[in-house]
Amino acid sequence: MSAPIIWIIVPFLAAVFFWFIQQKQRLVFYSAAGLSFLLGLVALFQKIDSALRIGSLAINIQSTMTILGRSLVLDNADRIYLAFVYISLFFWYLGAQAFHTSSKFFPLGMAVVALLTAGLAVEPFLYSAILVELAVIISLPLLLTRDSPIGKGLLRYFIFQSLALPMIMLAGWILSGVQTSFSDMNQLYIAALLLGLGFAFWLGMFPFHMWIPEFCSENDPFTNGFVMGILPVAVILIMLDYINGLTWLKDAAFITPALSVCGTLMVVTGGVWAAVQTDLCRIFGYGVIIETGFMLISISLRNELGTQLFYYTMFARAIELGIFTLAIVHFQKNGLGTSLADLKGRVKVAPLSSIALIAAMFSWTGIPLLASFPIRAVLLGQFSTAPGTALWALVGMGALTWAACNVLRSLFQKNKEKWSLSEDTPQSMLFILGILLLLLIGSFPSLFLEAVWSKISVFLTML
Amino acid sequence: MMDNWANILPIGLIMAATLVIFTGESWRNNLIALAVLFFGSFFLYMQQWDFLMAAIKLIAGWMCVAILSFVTGLQDSFEERTNTPKRFFTVVGLILVWVLAALMSTRISLMFDMSPEIAFTSFSILGSGLLLLGFKSGPFKVILGILTFFTGFELLYAELESSILVIGLMAAVNLLVAFVGSYLVTISKPGDTE
C-alpha cells in the first residue's frame, strides 16, 4: 500500500462511485464526510514510510507509487497539506448538508481535491499542470447550475486557468533540460518568466485578478467558496515545490522581491477595490485576492518564520472563507440579498450569519482578538528594515477595514423588524464554531498556533 | 525559410481553418474548420512522431468536434451577426498575429531546435486561439478558443516531448474541455434543446 493510493486513488474512485449514487444524498453525505475525515485523521497521525497497525494487521505505507514510468510521491512533509485539505473538505461537506447544496458537490468536490493532491504529488513536476487543469475542468460542472446563466466570470476562470497550462509545461520542459548545466541563462530567464506567468494566471495575481470578483458574484456562493478556498492553497504549495525542487530557482535573487511585490500588489489592489464594492460576493472575491497576497508575502520571507506564517494563514484563511461563504449562502437562500442596500438591519433576522460575516471580515483586516491579527502583526513586523511592503500592505488592510465597516453599518442599521433567528440548528452550530475558532486563535495565539506549529514542524522540511 | 516545402499544404489548410473559426458565424462552419485544423495538424505531427501517435491526436481532436457537434446541433443558432468593420478589424488582428508568428518563428526554431514552419504554425494557431479568447465572450467561441490554443501548444510541445503519457493526458484534457463545453452550450440556452 502506498500513500498516493490512500490519498489520491481511493478518494478519486470514491468520487466516481458517489457520482453514480448521488440521488441517495444522505448516504453519499455520510460516506463522503466520513471518508474525508478519516483521510484527514490518518494524514495527521500516521507516518508515511512506516507501518499502519490495525489490530494484528500491519500495512506498510510507502511514499511512492509508480504509474507509466512517472511517480506520485507523498512523503511526511506533505502530511500537513493532506490533513488540512481533507479535514477542510469534511467541514465543507458539513456546510453542504446544513445549507442543502446540490448533491453533485459531494463527488465532484472529492474528485477536485484528489486531482489537486495528485498535482502536488506527481514527478516530474511538469505533469502537475495537466492535473491542475483536469481539476479545474471537473470544477466547472460543480460551479454551474441549470437555472443560472453562464457569466463572464466563470468563462474567464476557465480561460485563465487553461492559459497557465502551456506556460507551466513549457517552463518545466526548459528547466528539466537545463537543470544539469546553467550555461544558457537566456533559456533559464525565459523559463522563469513562463513559470511566473503560469502561476500568475493560476493564482489570479495582479493584473490577471479581475476574473475573481466577477466569478464570485456570478455562481453559487457555496461552490465558489470551496473552489477559492482549496485551489490557491494547492497552487501555492505546487509553486513552493517548483521553487524548492530547482536549485537554480531556489537560489535566484529575484524570487524574494518578485513574491513580495506580487503579494503586496494583491493586498493593495484587493483592499482598495473591496472598499468601493457594494456586494458581499464581490467583497468575498477581493478578500480571496488579499489572502493569497498575504500568503505570497509570507513565503517571500524564505525562512522558517515565513513557512510558519504561511501555514498559519492557510488555517485562518480556511475558517474565514468558510464562515464568510456560509453567511452569503444563508443570506441568498433566505432571500435577504447580498448587496449593502439589502443588508440594512439584517442582523435582526440573521444574527449568527451577520456576526460570522463581520468576524470573518475583521479577521481579514487583522483586527486584534481575531485569528489573523497575530499572523499579520508578526508578518508585517518582519519588514521593519524595508518598510515599503509593510506600509503598502497596511494601505490594503486599511481599505479592507473600510469595506468591513460599511458592511457592519449596513447590517446594524435600524429598521422595524423584530429580532428572530433564521438559522437552523446545524447552521447555527457551524457559525458558532467558526466564530469561536476565530476568537480563540486570535485571543490565545501562542496556545493554538504554537500547538499547530509544533505538529507542522515535525513534518516539514524547511525552505 | 522552410525545411520542407510540402508543408505548405497543411499550413495553408490550418490558416484557412483558423480564419473560418475566427470569422465564421455558423456553428457548423466553425466545427468543420476545427476538424480541418486537427487534420492539418495531423500532417505536421507525422513529421515528428510515428503514424499511430499522430493518428491518436487526430482521432481525439475529431472526437472533440463530434462531442461539440452533437450538442451544438440541438441549439437553434449560434450565429453571431457581426458587421463588416468589426469583421475587418478581427481579420486584421488575425493577420497581425500571423505576421508576429512569422517574425518569431526563426528565433523560436533556433531556441527549441525545431523546424521554422512548425514554429510558425504552432505560434499562429496559439496566437489565433488567444485572440479568439480575447475577442469573443460566448461559451461556444470560448471553448473553440481554448481548443485552438491547446492545439497550437501541443504542436509546439510535440517537437520537444514525445512522451505517450503527455499525449494521453492532453487528449484527456481536450476531450474533457469538449464535454464541459457541450455542457456549457446546453445550459447557456436551456429552452432550445427541447
Side-chain angles (χ1 to χ4, degrees):
Chain A
M1 178 79 81
S2 65
I5 290 182
I6 297 173
W7 285 286
I8 298 168
I9 309 292
V10 168
F12 191 80
L13 292 178
V16 174
F17 176 66
F18 294 150
W19 176 262
F20 290 107
I21 57 160
Q22 58 178 299
Q23 285 82 6
K24 296 174 181 171
Q25 187 157 354
R26 192 170 280 269
L27 174 69
V28 173
F29 162 67
Y30 283 120
S31 321
L35 178 64
S36 56
F37 191 63
L38 184 71
L39 290 172
L41 282 187
V42 173
L44 210 54
F45 295 110
Q46 175 59 45
K47 282 183 184 167
I48 296 171
D49 281 328
S50 67
L52 168 66
R53 296 189 184 282
I54 308 163
S56 59
L57 186 73
I59 304 164
N60 192 29
I61 299 179
Q62 293 151 344
S63 58
T64 309
M65 181 183 145
T66 309
I67 311 172
L68 298 168
R70 275 74 184 172
S71 309
L72 289 170
V73 184
L74 287 172
D75 52 24
N76 283 316
D78 296 314
R79 275 170 57 203
I80 196 66
Y81 163 78
L82 295 171
F84 166 79
V85 82
Y86 281 106
I87 290 176
S88 298
L89 184 65
F90 166 71
F91 280 106
W92 281 106
Y93 282 155
L94 291 187
Q97 187 68 3
F99 286 86
H100 315 292
T101 304
S102 162
S103 59
K104 67 184 174 183
F105 177 74
F106 297 102
L108 291 178
M110 191 163 274
V112 167
V113 167
L115 282 169
L116 288 175
T117 309
L120 193 69
V122 72
E123 282 179 10
F125 51 73
L126 62 93
Y127 290 92
S128 60
I130 302 179
L131 289 163
V132 172
E133 177 69 12
L134 288 173
V136 167
I137 296 171
I138 286 180
S139 74
L140 287 174
L142 185 66
L143 293 158
L144 288 165
T145 48
R146 279 199 165 266
D147 47 351
S148 62
I150 299 162
K152 282 185 183 171
L154 183 96
L155 291 172
R156 284 185 188 160
Y157 159 72
F158 189 24
I159 292 170
F160 278 101
Q161 299 298 313
S162 300
L163 291 184
L165 170 77
M167 311 284 171
I168 302 285
M169 284 186 74
L170 274 179
W173 179 84
I174 297 172
L175 288 170
S176 60
V178 293
Q179 236 198 115
T180 43
S181 72
F182 302 138
S183 53
D184 194 345
M185 289 310 283
N186 268 348
Q187 284 215 356
L188 285 174
Y189 284 125
I190 288 170
L193 182 71
L194 288 170
L195 211 54
L197 271 173
F199 282 108
F201 284 134
W202 264 346
L203 289 172
M205 284 183 198
F206 180 85
F208 307 114
H209 66 296
M210 292 316 288
W211 61 270
I212 297 178
E214 215 169 350
F215 170 81
C216 291
S217 62
E218 284 168 359
N219 308 303
D220 171 33
F222 188 85
T223 43
N224 281 343
F226 169 73
V227 171
M228 289 290 113
I230 301 280
L231 186 67
V233 172
V235 167
I236 291 183
L237 285 170
I238 291 172
M239 186 169 84
L240 282 177
D241 254 16
Y242 267 66
I243 295 173
N244 292 333
L246 298 160
T247 322
W248 169 78
L249 202 57
K250 193 177 174 183
D251 299 334
F254 60 81
I255 281 287
T256 299
L259 288 172
S260 164
V261 167
C262 285
T264 312
L265 272 170
M266 288 177 86
V267 173
V268 177
T269 50
V272 170
W273 281 107
V276 294
Q277 298 306 314
T278 56
D279 188 80
L280 282 182
C281 298
R282 291 186 71 86
I283 293 175
F284 176 81
Y286 287 108
V288 169
I289 296 172
I290 292 168
E291 288 288 341
T292 309
F294 273 117
M295 287 204 284
L296 290 178
I297 296 175
S298 302
I299 57 174
S300 77
L301 291 176
R302 313 276 294 140
N303 55 22
E304 185 182 329
L305 184 66
T307 316
Q308 200 172 348
L309 290 170
F310 167 73
Y311 280 97
Y312 289 168
T313 310
M314 192 169 96
F315 285 104
R317 176 186 187 275
I319 304 166
E320 290 156 3
L321 293 188
I323 60 170
F324 197 114
T325 302
L326 296 186
I328 296 178
V329 174
H330 182 73
F331 283 125
Q332 267 195 356
K333 290 215 164 168
N334 288 278
L336 302 175
T338 54
S339 74
L340 292 188
D342 295 331
L343 290 180
K344 282 177 184 168
R346 292 302 190 196
V347 70
K348 284 186 173 176
V349 286
L352 283 174
S353 35
S354 303
I355 294 168
L357 194 67
I358 294 300
M361 284 199 76
F362 279 109
S363 183
W364 273 345
T365 61
I367 294 289
L369 298 183
L370 289 168
S372 287
F373 166 68
I375 305 166
R376 304 273 194 268
V378 175
L379 177 64
L380 298 183
Q382 296 304 304
F383 293 93
S384 53
T385 48
T389 304
L391 287 175
W392 281 111
L394 281 173
V395 170
M397 286 162 70
L400 187 64
T401 311
W402 176 262
C405 289
N406 281 338
V407 174
L408 182 71
R409 197 178 55 200
S410 277
L411 285 169
F412 281 85
Q413 230 169 44
K414 279 186 182 171
N415 67 5
K416 289 177 183 167
E417 286 187 71
K418 289 187 178 170
W419 284 91
S420 62
L421 192 69
S422 58
E423 296 89 355
D424 61 22
T425 313
Q427 294 171 351
S428 303
M429 281 169 69
L430 282 174
F431 282 128
I432 291 169
L433 179 69
I435 297 164
L436 276 178
L437 277 173
L438 288 184
L439 280 168
L440 286 172
I441 295 172
S443 308
F444 307 105
S446 54
L447 194 70
F448 281 87
L449 297 179
E450 288 302 320
V452 170
W453 181 248
S454 64
K455 197 83 186 158
I456 294 170
S457 56
V458 177
F459 303 146
L460 287 177
T461 40
M462 297 301 165
L463 278 173
Chain B
M1 281 298 288
M2 291 183 83
D3 276 356
N4 185 356
W5 285 97
N7 281 337
I8 281 186
L9 191 69
I11 292 172
L13 266 179
I14 286 169
M15 289 175 83
T18 48
L19 188 68
V20 174
I21 291 172
F22 219 75
T23 56
E25 289 181 341
S26 101
W27 63 267
R28 194 173 283 110
N29 291 348
N30 279 318
L31 288 179
I32 290 169
L34 190 64
V36 171
L37 180 72
F38 288 126
F39 187 63
S41 308
F42 164 71
F43 284 104
L44 300 179
Y45 282 128
M46 277 214 298
Q47 292 164 37
Q48 302 154 46
W49 299 335
D50 57 29
F51 176 80
L52 203 67
M53 276 163 72
I56 290 169
K57 280 283 181 200
L58 179 67
I59 291 166
W62 280 359
M63 277 170 75
C64 292
V65 175
I67 292 163
L68 282 171
S69 68
F70 289 145
V71 179
T72 321
L74 293 172
Q75 312 297 312
D76 61 346
S77 172
F78 274 92
E79 292 182 10
E80 288 177 31
R81 295 270 165 245
T82 44
N83 50 27
T84 312
K86 192 178 173 186
R87 192 179 288 180
F88 175 74
F89 178 68
T90 52
V91 171
V92 169
L94 189 63
I95 291 168
L96 281 176
V97 165
W98 289 345
V99 171
L100 201 67
L103 292 174
M104 285 167 67
S105 60
T106 317
R107 284 193 73 172
I108 297 290
S109 64
L110 286 174
M111 185 184 289
F112 292 120
D113 192 23
M114 59 169 62
S115 68
E117 64 264 31
I118 289 184
F120 163 73
T121 316
S122 57
F123 270 86
S124 57
I125 302 173
L126 217 135
S128 310
L130 262 184
L131 207 60
L132 193 65
L133 291 172
F135 274 148
K136 310 282 180 175
S137 56
F140 180 63
K141 283 284 186 178
V142 165
I143 295 302
L144 283 187
I146 289 176
L147 286 174
T148 310
F149 180 72
F150 280 169
T151 308
F153 162 68
E154 285 172 70
L155 196 56
L156 179 77
Y157 205 68
E159 280 272 339
L160 313 174
E161 179 88 43
S162 58
S163 150
I164 297 172
L165 191 61
V166 172
I167 297 165
L169 282 172
M170 282 310 291
V173 166
N174 278 334
L175 288 171
L176 275 175
V177 168
F179 269 119
V180 168
S182 62
Y183 185 58
L184 287 175
V185 170
T186 315
I187 65 167
S188 65
K189 290 190 175 182
D192 297 339
T193 52
E194 302 290 326

